[in-house]
Amino acid sequence: MKKTISYLLVCVFVMACSSDSESPLNVEPPELPVLPSAAFSANATMVESGESVRFRNASENARTYEWTFEGGDPGTSTGEEPEVAYANAGNYSVTLKANNADGSATEAKAAYITVIDPGMPPVAAFSASATQVETGVAINFTDESTNMPTAWAWEFPGGDPATSTEQNPSVSYASEGTYSVTLTPTNAEGEGMETKTDYITVADIPTPPVAAFSASETTVEAGTSIDFTDETTNGPTSWTWIFEGGDPTMSTDQNPSVSYPTPGTYTVSLTATNADGEDLAAKTDYITVTVPVVAPETDFSADATTITSGQDIAFTDASTNSPAAWEWTFDGGSPGTSTEQNPTVRYNNFGTYEVELTATNSAGGDTETKTGYITVNQQTATYTVTFRTNWTAVNHPTDFPTGSDHFSQAIGMVHKPGASFFKSGELASTGIKDMAERGRNSPLSDEIQPIVTAGDALSFINVGGLATGSVEVSTTIQVTEEFSLVTLVSMIAPSPDWFVAVEDVGLFDNGNFIGSMMVGGVSYDAGTDSGPSFKSANDPTVPAVPIFEITEAPLGSGTEVDPLIAYFTFVKN
């Protein structure tokens, strides 16, 4: 209380003396007291008379020490880690008091130091954790001999083990009775012996069975056998089983086997007996008997068997006998397989496809295959094709044939990939030559027709031509997902053998028809006439050279035709 009052007076004084009331002086709080802790150990706790012990100080926060050594020399000390001699045999206490300015702490250890006379044989002594036990219960024996024995010889008549050389052995007794125990400890000076007659009393307490059992299965199909296992403890010698609903309904076997002919839920009980008594274990509704599982008979249906590519089909499992698992295979479908009971599948490509389902349960499996079950028709679409000129004196002023510029009818075909009637880098056919030099449809139309007949093209198409002064012309075409490419050619007129073309224009992509697209026409030289300008006289190229893309004047700039002289637009209807 005195310290607290002093501190408050100082605070008041400082505040009063401060000239700046808005900036009070910061005052540190007082330090809390720190008390010491006392702790020690010794380099030995059992010595012979006349020997010394060095004490180790483990105290904390201490400034001074006060030791007291019962029976020691010196009897007290203020040293931090003193050394003390013991002249006489006995058991002696040690006390350490640790001090600092804030207080003190004490640790006392009673009978901490044991001093023995040198050259003395052991004095035998021992004790047991229990002296009255039941048969089979272990007893822990503890050596309490003095004068530092180095070896021990125990004798346990009737015990297990019957002898031991451990210092502190553990022993059990199998038979009831009264038993003596002998301990002979030895050291370099000799040996001692202690025998405790009738020290241990062992009683045989009655142990009736504790009934318990288990079954190989607790849920089975009707007609299935179950193996029951006795798990009773304490040595049963006879068993009485009762099996509600079972065949047999009772048994005296230790581990019987029982079948259950009728579905239901059944109780099992076991009475186990030995010479000391009996016990009953009953398990209510322990066994569940189910109707036998029969392998599935597989069947299925689809919400549609004829669709257009890109559509979905929902499949429904119609299998009987409760299948537990399903494995579907969908030829041409996405996904191609499924383990769902009722999957939905998309067919992106036209064709006729097989579907297979294998349904299984614990009794087996069955497979149903439906060949040609799904028919996927092609998607079709109509397009408006517009042929539009971009060839003008403004766009292409060099040698422009004012007043006679026009395009022949744009003709070609709707076809599959790989089908063509001309290729850049190859010689022009008669049909391409006549189209490029004279603007004639035939014989090119006659060359396209065999491609249609062979099934590589869907149709011959004619968009129409662009007369002088005309800007565009349109027509309607039909395409399918199989026949989704368009190739068109038209003579640039007048010209020696020049034509504009679009090749393999694809209108179907990733399962869908394209809504609209515009494609620029590429200008070609058919390689059959060598005239240098639009109105050059006929000058047949002998021999003909392969078709090539025009890059030179009067249409080209030396590297390309820019801007392009015509465009084709495709718009889905």
Side-chain angles (χ1 to χ4, degrees):
M1 180 62 72
K2 178 184 278 188
K3 288 184 179 180
T4 302
I5 294 172
S6 299
Y7 171 69
L8 292 174
L9 289 173
V10 170
C11 289
V12 172
F13 175 76
V14 171
M15 292 296 292
C17 295
S18 174
S19 62
D20 186 357
S21 61
E22 294 184 358
S23 301
L25 182 65
N26 290 327
V27 179
E28 293 293 332
E31 293 184 0
L32 297 176
V34 180
L35 296 175
S37 64
F40 65 89
S41 62
N43 66 337
T45 58
M46 179 177 288
V47 295
E48 293 182 357
S49 55
E51 292 182 339
S52 295
V53 176
R54 167 71 68 180
F55 289 90
R56 309 296 184 191
N57 195 330
S59 304
E60 295 182 354
N61 302 318
R63 300 296 298 273
T64 62
Y65 308 95
E66 300 175 31
W67 296 85
T68 301
F69 304 106
E70 179 189 10
D73 183 16
T76 62
S77 174
T78 59
E80 184 172 357
E81 294 189 337
E83 183 173 325
V84 179
Y86 289 87
N88 301 311
N91 295 314
Y92 300 107
S93 299
V94 178
T95 301
L96 168 61
K97 182 179 181 182
N99 309 291
N100 67 14
D102 293 319
S104 62
T106 301
E107 180 175 39
K109 296 184 179 181
Y112 183 54
I113 302 298
T114 299
V115 181
I116 61 174
D117 289 329
M120 297 292 291
V123 176
F126 63 87
S127 63
S129 59
T131 58
Q132 293 183 342
V133 294
E134 298 175 11
T135 54
V137 176
I139 300 174
N140 297 319
F141 290 89
T142 301
D143 169 47
E144 297 177 349
S145 304
T146 58
N147 295 338
M148 304 176 68
T150 57
W152 301 264
W154 296 84
E155 296 179 24
F156 305 105
D160 181 18
T163 61
S164 177
T165 57
E166 295 181 12
Q167 183 178 6
N168 301 303
S170 179
V171 180
S172 62
Y173 293 83
S175 302
E176 60 181 337
T178 302
Y179 301 99
S180 299
V181 177
T182 298
L183 169 61
T184 302
T186 58
N187 62 16
E189 304 303 325
E191 66 180 26
M193 176 183 289
E194 181 177 25
T195 298
K196 295 186 179 182
T197 304
D198 298 335
Y199 184 50
I200 302 299
T201 299
V202 181
D204 189 5
I205 297 176
T207 52
V210 177
F213 63 89
S214 63
S216 58
E217 296 179 84
T218 58
T219 299
V220 295
E221 295 177 10
T224 303
S225 291
I226 299 175
D227 295 325
F228 290 89
T229 301
D230 169 48
E231 296 177 348
T232 304
T233 57
N234 297 337
T237 56
S238 65
W239 302 265
T240 301
W241 296 83
I242 302 296
F243 302 106
E244 179 189 10
D247 182 17
T249 58
M250 68 170 294
S251 175
T252 57
D253 292 344
Q254 182 177 8
N255 300 304
S257 180
V258 180
S259 65
Y260 289 83
T262 306
T265 303
Y266 302 106
T267 298
V268 177
S269 64
L270 167 63
T271 301
T273 307
N274 67 13
D276 293 325
E278 65 179 30
D279 188 40
L280 170 66
K283 297 185 180 183
T284 303
D285 296 337
Y286 185 51
I287 302 298
T288 299
V289 182
T290 62
V291 176
V293 178
V294 179
E297 292 184 10
T298 302
D299 195 10
F300 60 88
S301 62
D303 65 348
T305 57
T306 300
I307 60 170
T308 301
S309 61
Q311 294 182 327
D312 294 339
I313 296 178
F315 290 89
T316 302
D317 169 48
S319 306
T320 58
N321 297 333
S322 301
W326 302 264
E327 294 182 11
W328 296 83
T329 301
F330 303 105
D331 179 28
S334 177
T337 62
S338 177
T339 56
E340 295 181 11
Q341 183 177 8
N342 301 305
T344 297
V345 180
R346 174 163 294 182
Y347 288 86
N348 290 318
N349 300 309
F350 63 90
T352 302
Y353 300 107
E354 177 181 284
V355 178
E356 181 178 280
L357 169 61
T358 299
T360 58
N361 61 18
S362 59
D366 184 44
T367 299
E368 171 74 4
T369 301
K370 295 186 179 183
T371 304
Y373 186 54
I374 301 300
T375 299
V376 182
N377 294 321
Q378 296 188 52
Q379 297 182 59
T380 62
T382 60
Y383 280 84
T384 297
V385 183
T386 301
F387 178 24
R388 182 180 181 86
T389 181
N390 194 43
W391 185 29
T392 67
V394 174
N395 291 338
H396 308 88
T398 303
D399 195 26
F400 185 77
T402 303
S404 61
D405 57 297
H406 65 282
F407 289 90
S408 70
Q409 292 179 348
I411 62 174
M413 63 182 183
V414 177
H415 60 93
K416 292 179 177 179
S420 66
F421 55 83
F422 87 94
K423 289 184 180 179
S424 180
E426 295 184 0
L427 293 175
S429 67
T430 301
I432 290 293
K433 178 179 182 298
D434 280 9
M435 178 276 303
E437 291 184 2
R438 298 179 176 83
R440 296 172 58 186
N441 291 348
S442 178
L444 183 54
S445 60
D446 297 333
E447 294 174 358
I448 292 174
Q449 190 56 47
I451 301 175
V452 175
T453 302
D456 293 322
L458 179 65
S459 62
F460 170 82
I461 55 176
N462 185 338
V463 178
L466 293 173
T468 302
S470 296
V471 175
E472 64 181 38
V473 63
S474 299
T475 193
T476 299
I477 65 172
Q478 185 178 48
V479 297
T480 69
E481 60 180 289
E482 182 181 15
F483 299 95
S484 61
L485 303 181
V486 177
T487 298
L488 291 164
V489 294
S490 174
M491 176 188 178
I492 304 170
S495 73
D497 61 344
W498 302 341
F499 67 99
V500 64
V502 289
E503 302 172 72
D504 297 338
V505 178
L507 301 177
F508 189 79
D509 182 55
N510 197 28
N512 295 289
F513 286 105
I514 293 171
S516 65
M517 67 187 305
M518 184 171 69
V519 182
V522 179
S523 300
Y524 288 103
D525 188 313
T528 60
D529 193 297
S530 298
S533 64
F534 293 109
K535 295 184 178 181
S536 296
N538 288 338
D539 183 12
T541 302
V542 181
V545 298
I547 299 169
F548 61 91
E549 186 175 342
I550 294 172
T551 58
E552 302 297 330
L555 275 178
S557 63
T559 57
E560 61 182 346
V561 175
D562 184 25
L564 299 177
I565 68 169
Y567 289 91
F568 290 84
T569 302
F570 300 84
V571 178
K572 184 174 179 291
N573 297 325

